[in-house]
Amino acid sequence: MSEHGLAHGLTDYGDRDFSRYLRRSFAQSMGYSRAFLDKPVVGIAYTGSDFNNCHRHFPELLAAVKRGVLAAGALPLEFPTISLGEVFLTPTSLKYRNLMAIDTEEMIRAQPMDAVVLMGGCDKTVPAQLMGAVSADRPAISLVAGPMMTGRHRGERLGACTDCRKFWARYRAGDVDDEEINEVEGQLAVTAGTCAVMGTASTMACLAEALGICLPGTAAIPAVHADRLRAAEATGAAAVKMIGSKLTPSQLINAKSVENALRVLMALGGSTNAVIHLTAIAGRAGVKISLDQLNSLSDSTPVLVNLKPVGNGYMEDFYAAGGMGALLRELKPLLHLGCMTVTGETLGDRLEGDASSYVDRSIIAELKKPLEPQGGLVALFGNLAPKGAILKRSAADPKLFEHEGRAVVFSSLADLASRIDDPALDVTPEDILVLQNAGPHAPECMPEAGYLPIPKKLAQRGVKDMVRISDARMSGTAFGTIVLHITPDSASGGPLGLVRNGDRIQLSVKDRRIELKVDEAELIKRAAAAPAKEKIPDRGYSKLFAEQITGADEGCDFKFLMPK
């Protein structure tokens, strides 16, 4: 008997024939006919959860996937994994991304499936699934949730979560009252799906398509659009076609497809989080991403997509404008067209096939007429960030790109929360806000706290942006002149932890530098007087995280999960 379907990966009782017999007898308790028990199996990694609003429509989507699998002649079997709802997790969803990656990898490997459909969407779910799928290396295809549709407030379109931040900033400044902020709250997220702007979820969906691991044209379909259901059905059918093929994640995700994804990231003006996630995904395939490489690609890849937080549009506009197909065609001269995709076609084949499709140039610009001449992200180095830091320059104020200012330091998230709105806070618009101990080695596990709020007394004076630096992350929906992912982080002994109030810090985007203007002798003295490191938790996943987490430069993966 061939080792496929339910005969694949038998439970070990020391008698293979008995193992097969027992498995089939238990499978029959679920009501399958003998004919179905002999079919190949497509597993469906299912992440529906009442703690994940982005995946609210997954029951309907799941039915469509199963329909596609059945029509193509295989048996669909769903299985649950951890689901990461971004705003429902404490201290941050990044802490649990690697746990979900482990769950996904081990369930793909342990259960009898010939191919797998990865259903995910909310920020960390797609990276976790791709990390796990690369390591398990069974034929896999991604089906993303799709973005929300926009809401309306007093004639204005609203979408989570760039507009969340805009209105909250206005509320803090006193421009919006309690009644209006409550009205806005009910209009920011009005359908199932991921954030309606080019945040982390949408960025990762687009990068999955750029990597060739989801069906062409499916990254940007709105969650509630009928096309999303048709994409789900087609994904199920495609998974069946992949059975027995060499189209495994480790073959699709390689140095050239990763470079394509980085190009797309720059052209999108996408989320800073994507640098960490793509580094982790690529790392599982043995591909190293360097920040020098990121800068080189950013310098030669313009921003082409006019979506919030960089531009004005929303994901539903991107889909209607031509979506990823249109963007990839514009980038064609810069891409590795020989990269294989889940359909068995190369990227070049795919782009030839939809060459005449419509494009809305108000949303997707031509390569020769870009929105911005360089990519959305840039890496910075210097004595404050020896292993690098990230700035989303496309969402920042160019007037602050060359800036020197006085440090106003917050030693922790608790310190930030307690003092940022203190009327007595010694701060001016020219100062640089510094947040320490919010990186991957801190107890808070690198939350999206890098978007430090403008101190209330400055916000009330109309200040919209300041230079802010930290070892934290920020939401892909955020905007501002914000330096993130400073590595090494404070908690692992990085120089960011040595900054003191009143120190001078210089930012130069032109020179790709972030420098602390304090002499080396003083820094050595401060390091010697630094408090002892936080005690590692005694047990459980928190202990594993603290012992195994790597820095942002290695994707915040676990050391023991990375290939040797």
Side-chain angles (χ1 to χ4, degrees):
M1 243 181 226
S2 60
E3 297 295 309
H4 74 273
L6 292 179
H8 180 85
L10 291 169
T11 310
D12 195 350
Y13 294 106
D15 181 337
R16 292 181 60 78
D17 290 337
F18 174 73
S19 297
R20 185 178 291 108
Y21 169 75
L22 187 62
R23 176 173 289 177
R24 287 174 66 88
S25 68
F26 274 59
Q28 290 204 51
S29 75
M30 295 187 283
Y32 295 116
S33 67
R34 285 182 175 274
F36 265 105
L37 297 183
D38 290 332
K39 288 182 179 292
V41 171
V42 172
I44 305 170
Y46 184 68
T47 55
S49 168
D50 284 349
F51 288 105
N52 195 335
N53 62 288
C54 299
H55 297 186
R56 175 165 60 87
H57 58 312
F58 271 27
E60 189 178 27
L61 212 56
L62 176 65
V65 175
K66 288 184 172 182
R67 188 165 68 236
V69 173
L70 289 167
L75 174 62
L77 295 177
E78 70 183 90
F79 62 97
T81 71
I82 291 167
S83 182
L84 304 178
E86 180 68 24
V87 301
F88 294 96
L89 290 161
T90 184
T92 173
S93 61
L94 183 67
K95 178 177 179 179
Y96 304 102
R97 184 201 65 180
N98 295 349
L99 182 61
M100 183 177 178
I102 293 171
D103 186 5
T104 303
E105 174 186 347
E106 297 303 335
M107 289 301 97
I108 293 173
R109 182 179 287 118
Q111 297 177 131
M113 64 191 76
D114 301 291
V116 62
V117 174
L118 307 166
M119 291 182 62
C122 195
D123 285 20
K124 309 305 177 292
T125 63
V126 172
Q129 288 180 325
L130 294 184
M131 291 163 68
V134 171
S135 295
D137 209 28
R138 200 163 292 178
I141 184 168
S142 179
L143 174 66
V144 298
M148 297 178 190
M149 304 292 280
T150 52
R152 295 292 188 276
H153 169 69
R154 300 183 183 180
E156 181 179 354
R157 290 172 77 191
L158 296 183
C161 197
T162 301
D163 295 323
C164 313
R165 300 176 192 284
K166 179 183 73 174
F167 273 92
W168 191 253
R170 290 177 58 191
Y171 177 66
R172 284 172 50 79
D175 297 333
V176 169
D177 61 20
D178 289 345
E179 181 181 356
E180 185 172 4
I181 200 68
N182 287 333
E183 287 179 18
V184 169
E185 180 184 306
Q187 293 299 317
L188 288 164
V190 294
T191 74
T194 57
C195 284
V197 298
M198 191 54 74
T200 303
S202 293
T203 300
M204 292 311 303
C206 292
L207 296 192
E209 188 168 332
L211 288 167
I213 204 161
C214 67
L215 286 181
T218 61
I221 304 170
V224 296
H225 199 298
D227 283 348
R228 176 57 59 193
L229 294 173
R230 286 185 274 270
E233 182 181 307
T235 298
V240 178
K241 290 182 180 179
M242 294 173 69
I243 293 172
S245 76
K246 295 181 180 179
L247 297 174
T248 61
S250 68
Q251 298 303 306
L252 299 175
I253 298 173
N254 53 51
K256 290 183 177 180
S257 67
V258 167
E259 185 171 301
N260 286 346
L262 285 168
R263 292 271 191 199
V264 167
L265 173 60
M266 298 306 157
L268 291 170
S271 170
T272 51
N273 285 307
V275 178
I276 289 177
H277 297 322
L278 191 56
T279 299
I281 294 163
R284 293 294 186 95
V287 177
K288 173 74 173 174
I289 294 177
S290 75
L291 294 185
D292 288 325
Q293 175 192 20
L294 183 145
N295 276 343
S296 176
L297 294 173
S298 185
D299 288 345
S300 57
T301 311
V303 176
L304 300 179
V305 178
N306 179 21
L307 294 193
K308 292 186 176 186
V310 171
N312 301 312
Y314 295 88
M315 282 299 292
E316 63 195 69
D317 305 318
F318 183 55
Y319 179 58
M324 278 295 295
L327 178 61
L328 290 168
R329 289 196 304 277
E330 287 303 321
L331 293 174
K332 189 174 177 180
L334 303 176
L335 300 176
H336 298 287
L337 300 177
C339 291
M340 195 60 66
T341 71
V342 286
T343 64
E345 294 180 308
T346 65
L347 177 60
D349 294 334
R350 177 256 168 104
L351 297 182
E352 286 297 325
D354 60 5
S356 61
S357 299
Y358 168 76
V359 182
D360 180 349
R361 292 300 180 193
S362 71
I363 298 295
I364 303 171
E366 294 180 82
L367 185 63
K368 60 186 178 183
K369 297 178 183 177
L371 298 175
E372 297 181 19
Q374 295 176 309
L377 307 183
V378 63
L380 308 172
F381 300 92
N383 69 343
L384 198 51
K387 292 187 177 182
I390 296 291
L391 170 70
K392 188 172 183 177
R393 60 180 165 190
S394 59
D397 184 350
K399 295 193 292 291
L400 294 172
F401 283 5
E402 307 300 316
H403 182 81
E404 182 175 323
R406 182 186 62 147
V408 176
V409 181
F410 300 93
S411 62
S412 65
L413 290 165
D415 185 33
L416 173 69
S418 68
R419 292 197 296 122
I420 191 66
D421 288 339
D422 187 343
L425 181 67
D426 181 12
V427 64
T428 72
E430 292 73 36
D431 291 336
I432 294 177
L433 304 182
V434 178
L435 173 62
Q436 300 169 326
N437 295 303
H441 295 91
E444 289 79 13
C445 308
M446 205 179 188
E448 291 184 343
Y451 182 69
L452 280 70
I454 301 297
K456 194 166 189 175
K457 70 179 186 180
L458 297 184
Q460 290 172 336
R461 286 167 42 192
V463 176
K464 305 292 187 189
D465 196 10
M466 297 173 65
V467 177
R468 288 158 275 180
I469 68 174
S470 74
D471 46 12
R473 299 176 299 114
M474 77 174 181
S475 169
T477 65
F479 46 87
T481 310
I482 302 170
V483 179
L484 303 153
H485 307 181
I486 287 183
T487 308
D489 67 345
S490 306
S492 63
L496 180 68
L498 305 180
V499 182
R500 300 292 180 264
N501 281 316
D503 289 349
R504 304 294 294 180
I505 295 175
Q506 183 177 25
L507 167 67
S508 174
V509 176
K510 176 173 63 72
D511 295 334
R512 312 287 192 266
R513 305 298 293 175
I514 182 80
E515 296 282 348
L516 177 61
K517 299 293 187 177
V518 175
D519 65 63
E520 188 66 23
E522 173 62 19
L523 293 178
I524 292 172
K525 180 180 175 183
R526 291 180 187 179
K533 291 183 179 180
E534 291 269 353
K535 182 177 179 291
I536 289 178
D538 292 330
R539 63 178 299 279
Y541 181 68
S542 293
K543 176 180 174 65
L544 177 65
F545 188 97
E547 291 176 341
Q548 291 291 325
I549 194 69
T550 63
D553 58 320
E554 294 185 276
C556 298
D557 202 354
F558 286 165
K559 288 176 279 190
F560 77 97
L561 295 175
M562 300 169 71
K564 300 296 184 185

